[in-house]
Amino acid sequence: MSRWFVRPSTLRRRGVMGLNRRNAQLIAPLNPRRYYPLVDDKLRTKELALEAGIAVPELYGVIATNHDIRHLPRLLARREDFVIKPAHGSGGNGILVVTGRMQNRFRRGSGRLMDLEALGHHVSNILSGMHSLGGQPDRAMIEYRVRFDPLFDPISYEGVPDIRTLVYKGYPIMAMVRLPTRDSDGKANLHQGAVGTGIDLSSGVTTRGVWHNRIVDQHPDTGHPITGLQIPGWERLLVLAARCFELTGMGYLGVDLVLDRDHGPLMLELNARPGLAVQLANDEGLEHRVRAIDALPPRKVPPETRAQQAMDRFHAAARPPA
Amino acid sequence: MKRLHLPLLILILSGIALGIFYHKAVNLGFPLLPAQQTDNWVVEARVSFEPTGGAVTARFFIPENPPGMALLEEHFISRGYGLTTTPTGPNREAVWTTRWPSGPQAVYYRATVYPLEQPRADQAPYPGPVAQPELEEPYRSAAEEVVQKVRERSADITSFATVLVRDMNHPADENMQLFVSATDSDREKVRTAIQLLAGARIPARMAHGIQLTDRGNDLQPETWLEVHNTRSWVAIDPDDGTVGYPDDFLVWWRGDTPPVRLDRARDAQVRFSVAHNYQNAVEVARQKADLLDSRMADFSLLELPVQTQNMYRVLLLVPLGAMIIVLLRNVVGLQTFGTFMPVLIALSFRETSLLGGIILFSLIVSLGLAIRFYLEKLKLLLVPRLASVVIVVILLMLALSILSHNLGIEHGLTVALFPMVILAMTIERMSIVWEEHGPADTLRQGIGSLAVAAVCYLVMINPYIDHLFFVFPELLLIVLALTLLLGRYTGYRLTELVRFRAFGGGER
């Protein structure tokens, strides 16, 4: 019986948050609607981050109208590889990764080739709002393709693995590595089939993985273990995540960071409605951690201190050895 | 105070609703259950026209002694019009006149009718044999042939007419083919039949009436043939020659004339609507309210024109559907395409029946999805692509209707009742979900939408719920209160208990 579902009382004891509670308790009071454009528009986010001195992938160009698509060859002339994405995209939709060129054609992350016309069509789809929230007209941004840290090579399938950190009132409270799989088509979203791996906040070591709401210890495509990995520069990463709070003023924020082998941690995007699968990956509910932060004295503290306090406070839940 | 705000609001809303409900149900005696035997009908005709300047006269046929039916009461609803009713030939006519009409005009005729248990013995004086029509060759000899052939196979006037109509529907020889063609409307058929019957000196006439169906809006009058068998007029179905009117058929007027004739006005339009009559039980309640000097009954939906009433019967159930959606999405956690799309699908299920509706809906959407993927290959922009999907959806509906009609499946015809913009949007949303999240998610959301629509439909067709919300619209306040209450539900969704099942595993 319990293989199929869990009792609500168990969930409540573990402090697991449901979507209704997340919406009512975290998003509605802490994320004022007027701040949403700051995170929904990735161009705005990027500008804000640059002003605050937070490292982001370099922006190569923006295409705002169908007319501008003819500038595409010029914009891409000197670029061997790049990423095209909608400024208002959600859930990794509409992101096109080009890893290299072959004469006039572009090689996509999946290995398939596509010509300039197809590229232009993709941009035009983005502009017409196909991938944006609510379908409103959008802009396409072309930016630096992240070369992720070799640490993740054996445990990701195409795509870019990223580190999702939940930041509550400026304090990192939970984090996971999101590893693309064959199922997720190179995307790092858990509901599309990516693997989420919990991270012990105090040490930056991965704990266990969750894939399609099931517990896994290996990457489903490569078979490599995904537990016990040390994320390099963990403290710096947490500080970076904590600093994003000041960027937007949102009290419940999902910060997506990537580890670039040349540029170190880069902030990819922010999310005003981060999902709840992170709880499964960490084998712990959010409720307790939220309470712990609420119990802190309401003083303004710098991001460095907040990251440090999070590291001190949130150890991975002790689990019986597998 | 802030914490008490919502509970107080909910309490007040429910209190008001229950108070009115109690007063109406107990003190005024409005019926709580739909009437067991509602064999009364309220029939309404709305006559609209456009004055062209000057005093307007509108003549409109109204029923008189319709066979098998009795007229209980009649109302003429028109503002600023003089009204007289006069008999004209076999009919009765309402004549509305006004001197200074401005803008489009509409007048109403409303009647309460009930079917007679024992049909009246309608003795009608025999008008005598009619004169033979003067026909030219080759029609003349063809008509004589036809009459001769029919006479050989019939016994009396009624069977003569029946055989004639059957022959007309399946013309066997070239004589008959001179008179009929497959595309003839009922009206043309009856016209021809009257002419041929005149060849046999049998008096015949055209009759028009409407089939009474509950909540029928925009009903089209049907044309019938009546022949006189020297004692009374007998009705003949022009499609298959059956004798006698069906049950619940109201004969409205006779003769080959349009129902409305206008002086100094144009664009005559008549819309017939019908509803089962709830007024009997409610009438008593209203009289009681008058005695008690209560204003409550004045604000009843039953005061509105029948057509509007029929519309509200449907509209009043939409809030209920919306509440069910809140329940299924926020408490159960089903995923659907769009928030309230399932309610709209459920509304169209009302016309198509549940199973047929689900099959048709899935069929159209999957065919549309296939075409949408093909259009994707053509690399069209979003809006033109959406427009193309709409066009293709219409074509698909058309093809399905024609195909199923030829196969003799009735359900296929009702496909036209699906709101096609909803279908097109569904297809577009589905294809995006398909591309971005894969077929599994698409299927899950699709099944979720259909399941929610089915639940909404099952609640909405329940006759008790239908009746309660129609007679006691104040119950909507309770629906509102419940929805507000659900708005504060922050517990787990049922589907989350499955989603987070891994938390249960570590316990033992």
Side-chain angles (χ1 to χ4, degrees):
Chain A
M1 169 174 134
S2 58
R3 270 183 52 206
W4 292 103
F5 64 90
V6 53
R7 265 190 244 111
S9 58
T10 311
L11 285 185
R12 215 169 295 129
R13 197 174 63 251
R14 306 290 304 274
V16 176
M17 241 183 216
L19 278 171
N20 290 331
R21 182 169 284 272
R22 177 200 76 170
N23 291 343
Q25 191 182 326
L26 299 180
I27 292 186
L30 296 173
N31 292 358
R33 273 250 58 116
R34 63 179 184 282
Y35 293 152
Y36 274 40
L38 300 184
V39 298
D40 287 343
D41 185 346
K42 296 193 180 77
L43 278 167
R44 293 274 307 271
T45 315
K46 210 178 259 280
E47 280 166 22
L48 286 173
L50 285 172
E51 278 169 31
I54 292 174
V56 289
E58 186 194 345
L59 183 68
Y60 294 160
V62 177
I63 295 179
T65 63
N66 267 309
H67 193 63
D68 286 349
I69 295 180
R70 66 205 167 97
H71 297 312
L72 207 53
R74 192 174 50 77
L75 277 172
L76 302 176
R78 294 181 297 109
R79 311 293 178 191
E80 195 58 31
D81 58 340
F82 51 86
V83 175
I84 299 181
K85 55 162 96 165
H88 282 95
S90 69
N93 297 342
I95 297 180
L96 184 95
V97 182
V98 171
T99 55
R101 302 176 85 139
M102 214 171 117
Q103 281 139 11
N104 283 334
R105 288 146 80 79
F106 300 88
R107 185 176 294 284
R108 291 183 60 176
S110 56
R112 263 172 289 168
L113 286 171
M114 94 195 271
D115 57 10
L116 192 65
E117 194 202 344
L119 217 61
H121 178 63
H122 183 81
V123 171
S124 140
N125 266 344
I126 291 176
L127 297 184
S128 66
M130 183 165 155
H131 305 287
S132 63
L133 298 160
Q136 78 263 49
D138 202 359
R139 287 176 293 176
M141 45 203 281
I142 304 165
E143 62 175 30
Y144 168 74
R145 179 177 75 89
V146 173
R147 290 164 186 77
F148 57 83
D149 196 282
L151 168 75
F152 296 117
D153 271 337
I155 52 166
S156 53
Y157 184 88
E158 296 173 357
V160 180
D162 67 4
I163 297 163
R164 155 70 59 91
T165 312
L166 288 191
V167 180
Y168 175 70
K169 293 184 175 170
Y171 292 86
I173 54 170
M174 212 174 254
M176 64 173 165
V177 188
R178 304 190 299 178
L179 305 165
T181 64
R182 187 194 297 267
D183 270 18
S184 78
D185 198 18
K187 285 170 193 145
N189 271 326
L190 261 58
H191 72 267
Q192 291 170 352
V195 174
T197 308
I199 306 175
D200 176 16
L201 274 198
S202 60
S203 62
V205 174
T206 58
T207 54
R208 71 167 188 183
V210 56
W211 184 50
H212 287 309
N213 296 332
R214 258 177 257 275
I215 308 302
V216 290
D217 288 328
Q218 295 168 339
H219 191 276
D221 298 319
T222 67
H224 274 265
I226 51 176
T227 57
L229 287 173
Q230 172 70 52
I231 310 258
W234 178 242
E235 187 172 352
R236 223 175 99 201
L237 236 140
L238 274 190
V239 172
L240 192 64
R243 282 170 67 190
C244 290
F245 168 67
E246 271 84 7
L247 228 54
T248 59
M250 291 215 195
Y252 179 64
L253 197 63
V255 179
D256 294 347
L257 303 169
V258 280
L259 277 182
D260 189 85
R261 71 172 65 141
D262 305 321
H263 303 273
L266 302 175
M267 194 268 283
L268 261 193
E269 60 182 82
L270 301 176
N271 196 321
R273 320 161 189 81
L276 297 168
V278 67
Q279 302 178 108
L280 272 172
N282 282 281
D283 196 20
E284 195 174 337
L286 277 173
E287 191 81 50
H288 300 320
R289 298 198 170 185
V290 164
R291 291 245 181 80
I293 299 299
D294 284 338
L296 290 173
R299 251 182 300 137
K300 279 215 156 201
V301 280
E304 291 76 13
T305 320
R306 294 199 303 257
Q308 190 56 52
Q309 283 185 340
M311 289 179 74
D312 294 346
R313 222 163 278 272
F314 302 131
H315 299 277
R319 285 194 305 140
Chain B
M1 187 58 216
K2 210 176 169 188
R3 274 187 49 200
L4 281 177
H5 190 143
L6 187 72
L8 272 180
L9 184 64
I10 289 169
L11 270 179
I12 290 171
L13 285 176
S14 329
I16 292 175
L18 288 175
I20 299 176
F21 178 74
Y22 181 84
H23 179 61
K24 276 169 81 170
V26 176
N27 295 346
L28 302 179
F30 277 80
L32 281 174
L33 297 175
Q36 292 300 314
Q37 284 230 310
T38 50
D39 42 11
N40 280 14
W41 302 88
V42 176
V43 189
E44 187 181 88
R46 177 184 189 273
V47 181
S48 58
F49 48 84
E50 189 102 30
T52 51
V56 168
T57 307
R59 295 162 188 279
F60 177 56
F61 288 135
I62 50 179
E64 182 174 50
N65 290 335
M69 290 275 178
L71 274 171
L72 260 188
E73 51 176 354
E74 289 181 312
H75 293 286
F76 299 85
I77 303 150
S78 53
R79 194 162 292 171
Y81 279 84
L83 171 79
T84 53
T85 58
T86 51
T88 50
N91 292 308
R92 200 158 58 103
E93 201 175 56
V95 185
W96 280 284
T97 46
T98 189
R99 199 169 283 274
W100 310 112
S102 66
Q105 304 284 307
V107 292
Y108 293 84
Y109 167 79
R110 193 193 289 180
T112 311
V113 298
Y114 66 93
L116 291 169
E117 309 258 305
Q118 297 256 300
R120 270 188 300 264
D122 278 329
Q123 291 281 343
Y126 182 56
V130 288
Q132 280 193 339
E134 310 235 333
L135 293 173
E136 285 171 28
E137 291 296 344
Y139 293 100
R140 189 190 170 114
S141 40
E144 278 166 12
E145 276 295 310
V146 167
V147 167
Q148 186 57 38
K149 275 201 176 145
V150 173
R151 187 168 280 150
E152 281 164 15
R153 286 180 292 144
S154 59
D156 55 9
I157 291 178
T158 312
S159 58
F160 183 94
T162 304
V163 171
L164 177 73
V165 167
R166 281 202 192 127
D167 278 6
M168 285 174 66
N169 279 300
H170 305 283
D173 57 24
E174 64 271 24
N175 287 327
M176 190 54 105
Q177 276 157 3
L178 264 180
F179 294 99
V180 292
S181 79
T183 54
D184 278 350
S185 65
D186 279 356
R187 213 184 175 109
E188 285 160 336
K189 269 190 231 165
V190 173
R191 223 172 264 158
T192 314
I194 291 173
Q195 209 175 32
L196 289 172
L197 285 164
R201 315 206 53 162
I202 298 170
R205 64 183 181 182
M206 199 184 270
H208 307 264
I210 52 176
Q211 183 69 48
L212 303 177
T213 47
D214 196 14
R215 280 173 241 174
N217 275 347
D218 286 332
L219 296 176
Q220 290 302 314
E222 295 167 21
T223 306
W224 278 64
L225 174 69
E226 284 186 356
V227 293
H228 203 290
N229 64 1
T230 70
R231 289 181 303 281
S232 60
W233 291 98
V234 178
I236 310 281
D237 188 335
D239 285 327
D240 54 11
T242 328
V243 177
Y245 288 115
D247 287 345
D248 295 331
F249 188 84
L250 176 67
V251 175
W252 201 280
W253 81 97
R254 281 155 180 131
D256 194 0
T257 38
V260 187
R261 279 132 297 121
L262 299 168
D263 281 343
R264 284 182 289 279
R266 55 189 165 83
D267 288 344
Q269 279 185 1
V270 192
R271 299 229 299 248
F272 295 98
S273 28
V274 181
H276 251 143
N277 187 13
Y278 288 88
Q279 241 153 352
N280 269 348
V282 178
E283 193 63 40
V284 181
R286 247 202 337 232
Q287 283 165 6
K288 212 163 166 185
D290 279 346
L291 288 178
L292 294 172
D293 199 24
S294 168
R295 308 284 304 162
M296 208 64 85
D298 291 348
F299 294 99
S300 160
L301 275 168
L302 297 154
E303 295 290 309
L304 298 174
V306 174
Q307 201 173 16
T308 319
Q309 280 187 29
N310 286 345
M311 205 176 67
Y312 270 108
R313 302 204 83 128
V314 179
L315 275 187
L316 283 176
L317 295 174
V318 171
L320 200 64
M323 191 189 80
I324 293 169
I325 291 217
V326 172
L327 201 72
L328 289 179
R329 279 176 69 107
N330 276 22
V331 180
V332 177
L334 284 183
Q335 287 181 311
T336 59
F337 292 116
T339 317
F340 290 112
M341 206 190 70
V343 185
L344 298 173
I345 299 175
L347 282 180
S348 38
F349 281 172
R350 289 169 59 93
E351 314 285 340
T352 58
S353 90
L354 187 59
L355 193 66
I358 288 180
I359 292 173
L360 277 177
F361 188 82
S362 321
L363 203 63
I364 292 271
V365 166
S366 31
L367 282 174
L369 202 60
I371 297 208
R372 160 70 177 68
F373 279 121
Y374 167 70
L375 289 176
E376 173 73 21
K377 281 214 172 91
L378 302 181
K379 304 200 184 306
L380 305 174
L381 290 180
L382 178 84
V383 179
R385 191 175 55 216
L386 204 56
S388 317
V389 172
V390 170
I391 296 169
V392 170
V393 164
I394 296 278
L395 286 174
L396 281 176
M397 286 160 71
L398 193 68
L400 214 64
S401 284
I402 293 172
L403 191 75
S404 58
H405 181 65
N406 285 340
L407 293 176
I409 308 168
E410 277 287 295
H411 272 314
L413 299 175
T414 53
V415 68
L417 297 163
F418 280 116
M420 55 89 200
V421 174
I422 300 280
L423 281 172
M425 295 297 282
T426 312
I427 291 166
E428 183 69 16
R429 271 218 55 80
M430 266 184 118
S431 64
I432 290 177
V433 174
W434 187 295
E435 265 167 41
E436 307 293 357
H437 301 203
D441 260 32
T442 318
L443 214 61
R444 195 177 318 139
Q445 291 192 25
I447 291 172
S449 303
L450 278 181
V452 173
V455 172
C456 288
Y457 165 79
L458 289 177
V459 171
M460 278 159 61
I461 55 154
N462 185 314
Y464 293 102
I465 292 175
D466 183 7
H467 171 83
L468 274 183
F469 276 87
F470 185 67
V471 179
F472 303 99
E474 60 273 8
L475 292 179
L476 284 189
L477 290 178
I478 292 188
V479 173
L480 178 62
L482 283 175
T483 310
L484 291 175
L485 198 64
L486 282 173
R488 275 286 176 88
Y489 175 74
T490 58
Y492 301 110
R493 299 173 183 181
L494 276 180
T495 49
E496 281 172 343
L497 299 184
V498 178
R499 181 185 173 197
F500 290 128
R501 63 184 178 277
F503 277 102
E507 289 297 297
R508 45 224 75 172

